[in-house]
Amino acid sequence: MPATVLTTRALLLDMDGTLVNSDAVVERCWRRWALREGLDPEATLKVVHGRQGYATMAALLPDRPMEQNYADNRVMLAEETADTDGVVPIGGAAAFMDAIADLPHALVTSADEALARTRLTASGLRIPEVRITAESVGASKPDPEGFLKGAAELGFAPADCIVFEDSEAGITAGRAAGMRVVGVGPRAAALSPDAHVPDLTHLRVEAAPDGRIHLHIGTAR
């Protein structure tokens, strides 16, 4: 397949499923929660990716008071932060993060600050200086608030940013923010992102002298 080249000025990066494979932890924690609540764990796992925990709980238990969702989410975050067994980098993530170290980029994740730091550290990945975490926003993905805040923090218009995402909620949020989306991994493949890569080994980053960033999609480094 010939390479696709996308040109942008800033990159907004999801974490789970995009830079870090945390599926093992996510599945363990959410299976326990689903069983406690009398829900089907398999059905639960189909909707957890990309959202903050309280938003997933609200979607699964629409009649439950939000205060209980917020309380359960705090417990969930503590459980996930304490569990790093099986947390590993997505293929090519370390080299990708090295390649963009001096380019405008931000982390935009539904994790809170502690969980983001824990998972990036467990994966051996550099922690981006600009981070939009759960504490930074009032609305979870698929709301575009996080990506819009990331663009503003970097000083770029939404149209000058490209989002890297793996989940339906995240891709929906990126599009709602008016940004192009590179889908990463198997979950993203069926969601019609602007470009798709199986992992981060399937792209090459080129910094142009005029400040633009060329993403060569489908080209291994």
Side-chain angles (χ1 to χ4, degrees):
M1 180 184 296
T4 298
V5 180
L6 299 180
T7 299
T8 188
R9 292 191 175 275
L11 307 174
L12 301 177
L13 315 173
D14 175 52
M15 181 180 70
D16 293 302
T18 302
L19 298 175
V20 172
N21 183 344
S22 57
D23 283 359
V25 177
V26 171
E27 291 189 9
R28 280 195 294 272
C29 291
W30 280 97
R31 281 182 189 279
R32 286 197 300 267
W33 179 86
L35 290 171
R36 286 198 301 266
E37 297 298 326
L39 298 172
D40 177 7
E42 297 305 323
T44 297
L45 291 174
K46 291 179 180 178
V47 300
V48 302
H49 296 288
R51 294 179 174 86
Q52 291 190 44
Y54 73 83
T56 294
M57 294 168 189
L60 292 166
L61 297 171
D63 297 328
R64 193 165 80 150
M66 280 302 295
E67 284 307 314
Q68 190 171 347
N69 296 333
Y70 291 133
D72 269 16
N73 188 48
R74 288 191 289 271
V75 174
M76 179 72 73
L77 285 169
E79 290 179 356
E80 290 190 272
T81 303
D83 185 354
T84 58
D85 187 21
V87 175
V88 295
I90 293 292
F96 173 72
M97 293 301 284
D98 287 345
I100 67 170
D102 296 325
L103 304 177
H105 67 282
L107 187 73
V108 182
T109 176
S110 293
D112 65 5
E113 177 75 15
L115 182 57
R117 284 185 170 276
T118 294
R119 286 188 175 162
L120 289 168
T121 300
S123 300
L125 298 177
R126 177 179 56 80
I127 299 173
E129 181 177 340
V130 179
R131 298 179 298 281
I132 306 298
T133 60
E135 299 95 332
S136 311
V137 298
S140 171
K141 298 172 186 176
D143 191 281
E145 181 185 1
F147 287 123
L148 292 172
K149 283 197 168 184
E153 186 77 14
L154 293 173
F156 290 93
D160 288 330
C161 298
I162 283 181
V163 165
F164 280 72
E165 264 287 0
D166 74 300
S167 71
E168 183 175 8
I171 289 174
T172 299
R175 286 185 176 137
M179 301 172 184
R180 289 167 293 161
V181 179
V182 173
V184 180
R187 280 190 290 269
L191 300 172
S192 301
D194 294 279
H196 176 261
V197 292
D199 62 28
L200 296 171
T201 65
H202 292 261
L203 63 89
R204 179 170 60 84
V205 180
E206 177 191 0
D210 63 1
R212 292 186 296 172
I213 303 167
H214 301 302
L215 299 174
H216 297 263
I217 309 293
T219 302
R221 280 181 307 274

